[in-house]
Amino acid sequence: MTGARQMSYDGLSPAVVLQMRRIVLTLTVASLLIAGAPLRAQELSFTFFGDYLESLRRQAGIPGLTAIIAGPDGVVWTRALGNANVERAVAARTDTPFHLDGITQVITAALVLRCVEEGRLSLADRAGQYDPASPDAGATLGQLLTHTTTGAGGRTFEYRPERLQPLAAAVAACTGGSFRAAVAALFDRLAMADSVPGVEAARTDLADPAIPTSDRQRYRNVLDRLASPYAVDRAGRATPAAHPSTALSAWNGVVSSADDLAKLDLALKRGVLLEPGTLASAWQPPLGPGGQPLPHGAGWFVQGYNGARVAWQFGMAENASSTLIATILPRGLTLILLANSDGLAKSFALADGDLTASPFGKVFLATFVR
Amino acid sequence: MRQILAAFLTAAVALAPARAWAERQVKPFFGGAFAGRTTFFDLDNAAGDAHLALGGSALVLGELVGVEADLGRVSAFFRSGDRHLVVAGSVTTLTGNLVLAMPRRLTQYSLRPYLVGGGGLVHARVKDSLEVLRVSSTLATIDLGAGATGFLSDRFGLDWQLRYFRSIGGDQRSQSFGPEQLSFWRATMALAFRY
């Protein structure tokens, strides 16, 4: 028996074999622990982030909040907090539709940039070509998308989303239909089933003739689930409010869910909607008079944070809703936040172009920029 | 704000008791801070909870009117036992006050009630787990309260007091939801030493 064992281990003594087994086992366990550590660290990051989010939501006066973090290959984390409708105790869900407010301009930017790729529009085109009545008829489409004006002193930034309106006419000219139909086609293409191109799209009397009746019914069904907007006072009391936005524009009016926005985000990251080079250019901010980068690229704010570039956008309707989307470009990690009060944005000067002005943005960046 | 403080200090000097009439008191206290409200980042949602408060006050009191300096600290104002996002979060107050008391001759052998009010500074400090939403801010504050002191001997007594602190004039900065504000109630019991 002893002889057979000695032969099977090529003449090594049992003590040496036992020692080797211990070393192999130790190395295996160590390897597994090392491999598993980043995973656990990431889980811990998400747990912490979720805890911060819930705490901030309560203090910010947000009755219902949905949150998604999407990586380069798909959604990696979701959370739905509070109520989409407080009176009926309807819990918020990641497929709950919310007013997107200013994030609508990200969709507009994607449509414009697609037209530019196809050679149907140019960022150097004047807005007046498509909307002669616009007060910004002399501005280029690129200037509108970047919220910039070029004067004697050079290019300057001023965040005025309403300036984007001529872009709707530009998209309509590019696609040969209405702006609403272009937005609806984008939603259909990406299977964004919880998205509506403006609440009036569901109305039979005012709706765009390019929107089929079946789609209008589907929009009505989506709007039936729309998160109720709330005004929240300093004591945290939520009162039902009417959302001020009822019409689709180039910078406002889209209704969508966090799930659907994640689809849009993934389509952008994967180059489904735009070529990677186009998106990279959009996320390249123009330079100001002193050669310094301005805060806004074509459709997104762009800034640096601890060496990482971040593209982001926000929206807000006072006493009704607010939204935030931010992508850490080197990691391809996108945060989507949709709220049914103005708590995500009201207290913070986000229009100045600094995401860290928002505690929500600051915690996201601090947690995931490494 | 400066005008208010200047007016307060002028009044305090003018109304300060003459030396011959005055008694001096030192009152180390303990108690609770509660019903707090703040716009500072309050990650543990703890400001409204009850917290231990410690501190002391020094008082020079005449027959009716006195002046007081009060230093208080609530070391866990922003912390909650069952949450974990805040590592440290305290509130410290330093105020100067006028005291209006019942005449001493009427309350020689019983509790002596008084009203107290004034202004000063409140400092809020929060350190969170990720160290991204830190708070460090000093605001002007007013405080108003009432209490009663009873002396068990010539030198030693007990004091009970309820006082309200409310910050004033906070600006919008990057450590709060809206303009910086802080308020809370403080109920204390103190040992009173008279000399």
Side-chain angles (χ1 to χ4, degrees), chain B residues 33-36 74 77 91 93 163-165 182-186:
Chain B
F34 60 96
V74 186
F77 188 87
V91 165
T93 53
R163 196 182 293 226
Y164 177 67
F165 292 85
L182 177 74
S183 66
F184 65 95
W185 288 85
R186 191 184 76 189

Side-chain angles (χ1 to χ4, degrees), chain B residues 2-89:
Chain B
R2 284 179 182 170
Q3 290 170 330
I4 294 171
L5 285 176
F8 168 75
L9 289 173
T10 304
V13 170
L15 295 172
R19 185 178 177 83
W21 295 69
E23 68 177 52
R24 296 181 181 85
Q25 295 177 17
V26 174
K27 297 191 273 193
F29 62 75
F30 71 96
F34 60 96
R37 294 178 67 177
T38 186
T39 58
F40 287 117
F41 298 145
D42 179 19
L43 293 168
D44 280 357
N45 296 310
D49 298 345
H51 306 281
L52 177 67
L54 297 171
S57 61
L59 168 69
V60 181
L61 182 62
E63 182 63 21
L64 275 175
V65 178
V67 291
E68 180 215 51
D70 180 280
L71 175 65
R73 180 173 167 82
V74 186
S75 59
F77 188 87
F78 290 98
R79 293 193 68 189
S80 170
D82 58 348
R83 302 183 194 107
H84 58 274
L85 296 179
V86 174
V87 176

Side-chain angles (χ1 to χ4, degrees), chain A residues 278-294:
Chain A
T278 303
L279 203 54
S281 298
W283 287 341
Q284 195 65 44
L287 300 180
Q292 82 284 9
L294 295 175

Side-chain angles (χ1 to χ4, degrees), chain A residues 4 7 17 54 61 64 69 73 83 98 113 121 138 158 164 174-175 184 190 208 221 224 242 295 302 368:
Chain A
M7 281 181 67
V17 170
E54 170 62 353
I69 294 178
D73 301 316
N83 289 323
F98 286 78
L113 293 172
L121 293 178
E158 186 183 9
L164 269 63
C174 161
T175 58
L190 299 180
D208 190 317
N221 294 340
D224 284 344
V302 185
F368 296 105

Side-chain angles (χ1 to χ4, degrees), chain A residues 61-81:
Chain A
I62 298 175
L65 177 73
T66 58
I68 279 183
I69 294 178
D73 301 316
V75 170
V76 294
W77 181 84
T78 66
R79 187 68 63 90
L81 304 165

Side-chain angles (χ1 to χ4, degrees), chain A residues 236-254:
Chain A
R237 287 183 293 265
T239 308
H243 196 280
S245 168
T246 55
L248 177 69
S249 68
W251 55 280
N252 200 357
V254 163

Side-chain angles (χ1 to χ4, degrees), chain A residues 4-367:
Chain A
R5 283 175 63 189
Q6 283 174 338
M7 281 181 67
S8 66
Y9 295 120
D10 293 330
L12 296 175
S13 71
V16 172
V17 170
L18 190 61
Q19 185 67 19
M20 287 177 68
R21 279 181 177 169
R22 282 181 180 153
I23 291 170
V24 169
L25 183 63
T26 303
L27 287 173
T28 304
V29 170
S31 302
L32 288 172
L33 285 173
I34 291 168
L39 192 64
R40 281 197 299 278
Q42 180 148 318
E43 286 172 1
L44 197 60
S45 296
F46 286 132
T47 301
F48 252 101
F49 182 70
D51 290 347
Y52 267 81
L53 205 58
E54 170 62 353
S55 182
L56 291 172
R57 178 189 75 86
R58 287 174 179 271
Q59 201 182 1
I62 298 175
L65 177 73
T66 58
I68 279 183
I69 294 178
D73 301 316
V75 170
V76 294
W77 181 84
T78 66
R79 187 68 63 90
L81 304 165
N83 289 323
N85 184 293
V86 175
E87 296 74 31
R88 291 189 285 136
V90 178
R93 296 159 38 127
T94 55
D95 64 353
T96 299
F98 286 78
H99 288 278
L100 290 194
D101 304 320
I103 288 183
T104 298
Q105 65 188 296
V106 168
I107 293 165
T108 303
L111 292 170
V112 169
L113 293 172
R114 179 64 183 248
C115 288
V116 171
E117 279 183 351
E118 294 170 346
R120 298 168 191 248
L121 293 178
S122 165
L123 292 181
D125 289 347
R126 299 287 170 185
Q129 288 178 239
Y130 307 100
D131 185 0
S134 167
D136 290 294
T140 66
L141 302 188
Q143 287 172 338
L144 298 184
L145 277 175
T146 55
H147 295 269
T148 56
T149 307
T150 303
R155 204 166 185 175
T156 54
F157 165 79
E158 186 183 9
Y159 188 72
R160 285 200 292 130
E162 65 278 7
R163 282 184 75 209
L164 269 63
Q165 191 51 32
L167 298 177
V171 169
C174 161
T175 58
S178 66
F179 175 64
R180 187 190 317 282
V183 174
L186 176 70
F187 292 162
D188 289 344
R189 182 180 172 197
L190 299 180
M192 295 170 66
D194 297 319
S195 301
V196 178
V199 292
E200 76 279 22
R203 293 173 59 180
T204 51
D205 54 336
L206 295 177
D208 190 317
I211 305 294
T213 307
S214 58
D215 283 354
R216 289 181 209 163
Q217 182 57 50
R218 181 165 59 83
Y219 294 152
R220 275 195 290 276
N221 294 340
V222 172
L223 294 176
D224 284 344
R225 296 187 291 113
L226 181 64
S228 301
Y230 289 95
V232 180
D233 65 18
R234 289 170 63 187
R237 287 183 293 265
T239 308
H243 196 280
S245 168
T246 55
L248 177 69
S249 68
W251 55 280
N252 200 357
V254 163
V255 167
S256 188
S257 68
D259 283 340
D260 275 6
L261 280 181
K263 291 176 186 171
L264 176 69
D265 175 67
L266 289 169
L268 286 167
K269 288 176 187 166
R270 289 171 176 165
V272 173
L273 280 183
L274 298 171
E275 292 171 10
T278 303
L279 203 54
S281 298
W283 287 341
Q284 195 65 44
L287 300 180
Q292 82 284 9
L294 295 175
H296 208 284
W300 289 261
F301 285 96
V302 185
Q303 71 180 100
Y305 180 84
N306 286 352
R309 290 177 65 233
V310 182
W312 61 279
Q313 192 52 268
F314 78 103
M316 185 188 79
E318 194 159 357
N319 290 326
S321 58
S322 52
T323 51
L324 183 68
I325 183 167
T327 302
I328 300 167
L329 300 184
R331 296 192 67 187
L333 210 56
T334 300
L335 169 69
I336 298 162
L337 294 177
L338 306 180
N340 59 350
S341 78
D342 58 17
L344 277 178
K346 186 181 181 183
S347 301
F348 321 112
L350 289 170
D352 291 346
D354 182 8
L355 181 58
T356 65
S358 155
F360 297 92
K362 203 170 182 178
V363 170
F364 173 63
L365 296 178
T367 307

